[in-house]
Amino acid sequence: MKVAVLGAGAIGAYVGAALHRAGADTHLVARGPHLAAMRRDGVRVLSSRGDFTARAHATDDPAEIGPVDFVFLGLKANSYAACGPLIEPLLHSTTAVVAAQNGIPWWYFHRYGGQHDGHRVESVDPGGAVSAVLAPERAVGCVVYAATELEGPGIVRHLEGTRFSIGEPDRTVSARCRAFSEAMVAGGLKCPVEPDIRGDIWIKLLGNISFNPISALARATMRQMCLHGGTRKVIETMMAETLAVAEALGCEVGVSIERRMAGAERVGDHRTSTLQDLERGKPLELDALLAAVVELADITGVEVPTLRTVHAISDLLALRSAA
């Protein structure tokens, strides 16, 4: 199996290191000091499960790699439309793109069935710009339940979790999913092939849609948001509205708000990725997390007043932080 990790940051480098350890022909695409360190010393993974180093090929030029069987996409969703020059050299006719994306993916209604089959979610695929670069038929959904961070160039700190749930948009258990899952498991990760990955998307989204924008607006950690009575109520309301949208689309999310809140509180003083991006002056990845669900509420007729309010305020924050 030949795999390229496009966007070999904290999650991407961690996955790439695991696949390399499993014996896959693995190539990491990155840039800057992080790339220089990986070229010199490999990817150094620090984890309570055991430290290891993976000396996979690392480059900033995908043309050096050529076509691969799988592209693991570690980029932020808001950069997908512009990644064409990077991903095109990696593709052959059957290359699969495993997109480790939070929120509603651009392929959500691909082979969905029913009245919404093929519907384009403009918030994440404006004018079809993402689909033009990443054809939906290449997509393999991926929901990440692992937490990692770059402790330094080339150094990945694994904090918790090893599960990367994957699945086909058409709900089949395909040969390509089984092959990718087997390679991930051989590298020490959990990678279940889900019959309907959309359920996992909504479970993860319950936390992302609420905690991420609120954390950026309040500059607060997970624990602080959970312990503040008024903020906790806002988050619970956002979760309830999100569940209503999912159910209107026929997706039963098998987790309660109470359980989701309890899990978030146990995380402690963790800063969400959106808050970290704000602090680092990076673009805020809120379209896939929040704007897309408001858009889905529009097509399903579900009332989501709290989501709309938080979206309006956080959208202004995103615009001002990008200025």
Side-chain angles (χ1 to χ4, degrees), residues 144-167:
V144 178
Y145 294 96
T148 60
E149 64 182 20
L150 285 179
E151 192 161 290
I155 304 172
V156 176
R157 171 70 65 179
H158 171 244
L159 302 173
E160 62 177 354
T162 60
R163 182 156 65 101
F164 293 76
S165 296
I166 63 172

Side-chain angles (χ1 to χ4, degrees), residues 72-112:
F72 183 87
L73 200 57
L75 303 172
K76 293 280 189 178
N78 50 19
S79 65
Y80 285 0
C83 78
L86 291 173
I87 200 167
E88 285 172 8
L90 303 172
L91 302 179
H92 57 58
S93 60
T94 60
T95 300
V97 177
V98 182
Q101 177 191 340
N102 286 326
I104 301 297
W106 83 99
W107 56 260
Y108 188 87
F109 289 111
H110 177 62
R111 296 182 179 174
Y112 186 78

Side-chain angles (χ1 to χ4, degrees), residues 18-311:
L19 290 171
H20 179 79
R21 183 167 64 168
D25 181 11
T26 306
H27 305 264
L28 309 177
V29 182
R31 60 186 181 183
H34 180 51
L35 170 61
M38 291 192 295
R39 281 173 161 167
R40 184 182 64 249
D41 303 319
V43 179
R44 290 182 287 167
V45 177
L46 309 179
S47 173
S48 61
R49 303 175 72 244
D51 300 346
F52 69 97
T53 297
R55 298 185 181 277
H57 172 238
T59 181
D60 59 359
D61 182 7
E64 288 184 7
I65 301 169
V68 299
D69 301 309
F70 292 92
V71 175
F72 183 87
L73 200 57
L75 303 172
K76 293 280 189 178
N78 50 19
S79 65
Y80 285 0
C83 78
L86 291 173
I87 200 167
E88 285 172 8
L90 303 172
L91 302 179
H92 57 58
S93 60
T94 60
T95 300
V97 177
V98 182
Q101 177 191 340
N102 286 326
I104 301 297
W106 83 99
W107 56 260
Y108 188 87
F109 289 111
H110 177 62
R111 296 182 179 174
Y112 186 78
Q115 64 175 319
H116 300 303
D117 186 61
H119 177 82
R120 185 170 68 228
V121 184
E122 287 291 330
S123 299
V124 293
D125 191 11
V130 175
S131 293
V133 174
L134 304 171
E137 57 266 24
R138 293 188 184 277
V140 170
C142 179
V143 178
V144 178
Y145 294 96
T148 60
E149 64 182 20
L150 285 179
E151 192 161 290
I155 304 172
V156 176
R157 171 70 65 179
H158 171 244
L159 302 173
E160 62 177 354
T162 60
R163 182 156 65 101
F164 293 76
S165 296
I166 63 172
E168 292 282 358
D170 66 0
R171 303 177 181 87
T172 61
V173 178
S174 65
R176 67 181 185 177
C177 278
R178 289 196 299 269
F180 188 78
S181 172
E182 289 168 4
M184 293 279 277
V185 171
L189 304 178
K190 297 177 182 177
C191 189
V193 180
E194 301 293 347
D196 191 350
I197 192 63
R198 292 176 182 86
D200 282 71
I201 287 171
W202 286 102
I203 290 172
K204 182 83 179 287
L205 184 55
L206 275 183
N208 290 145
I209 199 173
S210 51
F211 286 107
N212 284 54
I214 295 295
S215 69
L217 291 167
R219 301 334 194 250
T221 66
M222 298 288 283
R223 184 185 66 85
Q224 290 166 339
M225 289 183 282
C226 288
L227 295 181
H228 186 272
T231 301
R232 185 184 184 101
K233 181 63 177 176
V234 170
I235 288 171
E236 289 173 343
T237 303
M238 293 177 74
M239 288 184 176
E241 292 178 1
T242 302
L243 285 174
V245 175
E247 289 167 4
L249 289 169
C251 188
E252 295 292 331
V253 182
V255 65
S256 67
I257 292 173
E258 293 76 15
R259 181 180 172 188
R260 199 69 182 82
M261 291 297 296
E265 192 168 349
R266 286 195 298 271
V267 171
D269 282 312
H270 171 71
R271 293 165 17 261
T272 70
S273 59
T274 302
L275 176 56
Q276 292 181 50
D277 286 344
L278 179 67
E279 292 173 340
R280 295 168 183 167
K282 295 182 177 180
L284 305 187
E285 189 185 23
L286 292 176
D287 286 344
L289 302 183
L290 185 50
V293 178
V294 172
E295 184 178 337
L296 295 181
D298 288 337
I299 71 171
T300 56
V302 176
E303 295 294 326
V304 291
T306 307
L307 292 180
R308 290 185 190 279
T309 299
V310 174
H311 172 240

